[in-house]
Amino acid sequence: MFLLQSCLGLLLCVAGTLALYSPSDDVIDLTPSNFDKLVTNSDDIWLIEFYAPWCGHCKNLAPEYKKAATALKGIVKVGAVDSDQHKGFGSQYGVKGFPTIKIFTGSKNTAYQGQRTAEDLVDAALKAVKDKAYQALGKKSGGSSGKSDVVTLTDSNFKELVLESDDLWLVEFYAPWCGHCKNLEPQWAKAATELKGKVKLGALDATVHTSMASRYQVQGYPTIKLFRAGKKSSDSVEDYNGGRTASDIVAFALDKLAENIAAPEIIQVVDEATLAACGAQPLCVVSILPHILDCGAACRNDYLDVLRRMGEKYKNKMWGWIWAEAGAQPALEEALELGGFGYPAMAVVNAKKLKFSTLRGSFSETGINEFLRDLSFGRGQTAPVRGAALPAAATTEPWDGKDGELPQEEDIDLSDVDLEKDEL
């Protein structure tokens, strides 16, 4: 009897020594009987390790995992499943080896594939908290402020926002644990801001929203795909294989945008509504053309053709293009300091910042192209708009496309005038 008790005690002792976590640790023991109640049916975020007591890597991880659990106490729940004791339980969560670490948010889970240090485990857990909070705000986590122009996409909103829209979309399919995705994130956010109003950028967590990731055959992270403007079909989706900097992404998006957008209309300013087309765009090209009596229909059309060709060349900038006849909009000319050196004249104005830059070279394709090219690269001198606001537009008649006519002189009948008497 004594021998039996000793053997049982020895077995219990051995079993105890095999356990990697004790009740005194901040790691919660999870089993098939409490897993759903504590994890999948809760709103808590969990960091969970599936381990085997005999696993050498699990033993090496245990001290760091305990540190992470203590650091995350009150923030993220940290648990562990003894997969040797609960055989087969982890298979429903894709567990094939030990240790396997997963981050659970309710019934959804993502695999952790980072470094096995307490600091990296804490970073991943806090990232999950941040993502959950920003997702509630309808944004992807990005930057310290949480503000981002990147649209958070899900399986439920993808069709409405992307597939049924008339916009051009670039979509990043990412995994929260992916190092390359983390490196891309600030560049993606910067590109989204630069492309705001032109091309939409979205991000979809492919480890959570697996339906869309599977539909578009996402097999690695990050995967970036272009969804062309207009009705979306399989032919309208294109893989992006370019650089991972914001400038690379912006350049690619603008090139694709240029393929899909029409050249801007060159609008004559004849009232407030036509001038408003200028203020709605990031920049507006303002041209003042000679009076029709100084430059006939053919001459004016030549100038307008130059503007149309320049509009086509720079259409991906989404600028506004307006023109007025010399003297027809004096307040506009004064605000932008145009006309002082004759006509035609040109200025580019930022209606939001109320700054403008004036064409100093020739009003020709070469001169205008050099002027606009410098502006597009952030070069060129600017000045504040006079009056600190765009002026109101005068109401005038639009050009009828014809040559101008001198006003007819009134015929004066001098037959009844007695010149000699008047001279007296």
Side-chain angles (χ1 to χ4, degrees):
M1 183 70 179
F2 175 76
L3 180 61
L4 178 61
Q5 289 178 337
S6 299
C7 290
L8 287 174
L10 180 62
L11 289 173
L12 290 173
C13 181
V14 171
T17 59
L18 287 176
L20 297 185
Y21 305 105
S22 69
S24 62
D25 295 323
D26 292 312
V27 179
I28 299 170
D29 183 40
L30 295 172
T31 68
S33 60
N34 68 11
F35 199 89
D36 286 341
K37 179 182 178 181
L38 295 180
V39 180
T40 58
N41 293 334
S42 79
D43 292 327
D44 296 319
I45 293 176
W46 280 82
L47 184 69
I48 298 176
E49 176 198 3
F50 294 81
Y51 73 96
W54 45 260
C55 163
H57 294 299
C58 301
K59 293 177 182 178
N60 292 335
L61 170 64
E64 294 297 309
Y65 199 69
K66 292 176 184 178
K67 289 180 186 177
T70 301
L72 290 168
K73 194 172 183 179
I75 304 171
V76 171
K77 300 285 184 69
V78 178
V81 177
D82 185 340
S83 296
D84 199 40
Q85 183 178 355
H86 308 291
K87 296 183 184 297
F89 177 68
S91 61
Q92 62 185 297
Y93 300 110
V95 176
K96 297 179 180 179
F98 309 117
T100 292
I101 303 172
K102 287 182 173 284
I103 298 174
F104 280 76
T105 304
S107 60
K108 297 177 180 178
N109 70 85
T110 58
Y112 171 80
Q113 295 186 2
Q115 298 295 314
R116 294 172 181 175
T117 67
E119 184 176 354
D120 287 307
L121 290 165
V122 167
D123 285 344
L126 294 179
K127 175 68 163 53
V129 173
K130 193 175 180 182
D131 286 343
K132 181 181 178 181
Y134 286 143
Q135 189 166 8
L137 294 173
K139 294 181 176 293
K140 179 185 174 187
S141 170
S144 59
S145 66
K147 296 180 179 179
S148 173
D149 293 311
V150 177
V151 180
T152 299
L153 298 172
T154 65
D155 282 340
S156 60
N157 69 14
F158 198 93
K159 180 180 178 183
E160 178 185 358
L161 295 183
V162 179
L163 302 182
E164 294 180 352
S165 79
D166 292 325
D167 298 307
L168 186 69
W169 278 83
L170 274 176
V171 177
E172 175 203 359
F173 296 83
Y174 73 98
W177 45 260
C178 162
H180 292 301
C181 302
K182 293 176 182 178
N183 292 336
L184 174 63
E185 186 171 2
Q187 299 298 319
W188 194 249
K190 183 179 179 182
T193 299
E194 291 186 32
L195 291 167
K196 191 174 183 179
K198 303 173 186 177
V199 178
K200 291 189 174 180
L201 267 67
L204 182 141
D205 184 343
T207 65
V208 174
H209 306 287
T210 56
S211 176
M212 285 300 161
S214 175
R215 176 174 177 176
Y216 294 105
Q217 300 177 342
V218 175
Q219 298 178 343
Y221 309 114
T223 291
I224 301 173
K225 290 184 179 286
L226 171 79
F227 293 80
R228 291 189 178 86
K231 188 175 181 180
K232 308 296 192 299
S233 66
S234 58
D235 294 335
S236 67
V237 183
E238 177 183 338
D239 289 331
Y240 172 80
N241 296 310
R244 300 289 175 84
T245 67
S247 59
D248 290 328
I249 297 164
V250 169
F252 173 84
L254 292 180
D255 285 344
K256 294 299 178 181
L257 181 65
E259 295 175 4
N260 291 275
I261 62 174
E265 182 183 359
I266 313 300
I267 300 172
Q268 183 184 4
V269 180
V270 294
D271 53 26
E272 276 297 306
T274 49
L275 182 59
C278 188
Q281 305 302 329
L283 292 178
C284 187
V285 183
V286 182
S287 298
I288 305 297
L289 302 184
H291 194 280
I292 194 65
L293 294 178
D294 296 325
C295 175
C299 171
R300 176 171 291 181
N301 280 322
D302 285 342
Y303 286 131
L304 290 174
D305 285 341
V306 170
L307 295 178
R308 292 187 187 99
R309 288 192 291 272
M310 289 294 97
E312 171 72 31
K313 183 178 180 66
Y314 288 92
K315 66 181 182 179
N316 63 335
K317 301 296 185 182
M318 305 292 285
W319 294 340
W321 293 72
I322 62 175
W323 71 276
E325 182 178 76
Q329 301 293 337
L332 182 62
E333 291 188 41
E334 182 179 357
L336 304 181
E337 300 179 8
L338 293 171
F341 298 97
Y343 304 100
M346 175 182 285
V348 173
V349 60
N350 185 321
K352 292 183 178 180
K353 295 183 179 180
L354 294 174
K355 299 277 189 178
F356 73 93
S357 184
T358 306
L359 171 66
R360 301 298 183 188
S362 63
F363 197 98
S364 63
E365 285 192 50
T366 300
I368 294 173
N369 181 53
E370 291 178 355
F371 172 55
L372 298 182
R373 183 187 61 202
D374 285 346
L375 285 179
S376 66
F377 285 110
R379 298 193 294 262
Q381 295 181 340
T382 61
V385 173
R386 285 191 178 182
L390 284 179
T395 301
T396 62
E397 290 294 323
W399 181 45
D400 59 9
K402 300 177 181 179
D403 284 322
E405 295 182 2
L406 290 169
Q408 292 184 351
E409 295 183 5
E410 184 180 355
D411 293 333
I412 301 175
D413 186 1
L414 300 177
S415 61
D416 295 333
V417 178
D418 187 346
L419 295 177
E420 292 184 359
K421 183 177 178 181
D422 286 348
E423 288 176 358
L424 295 175

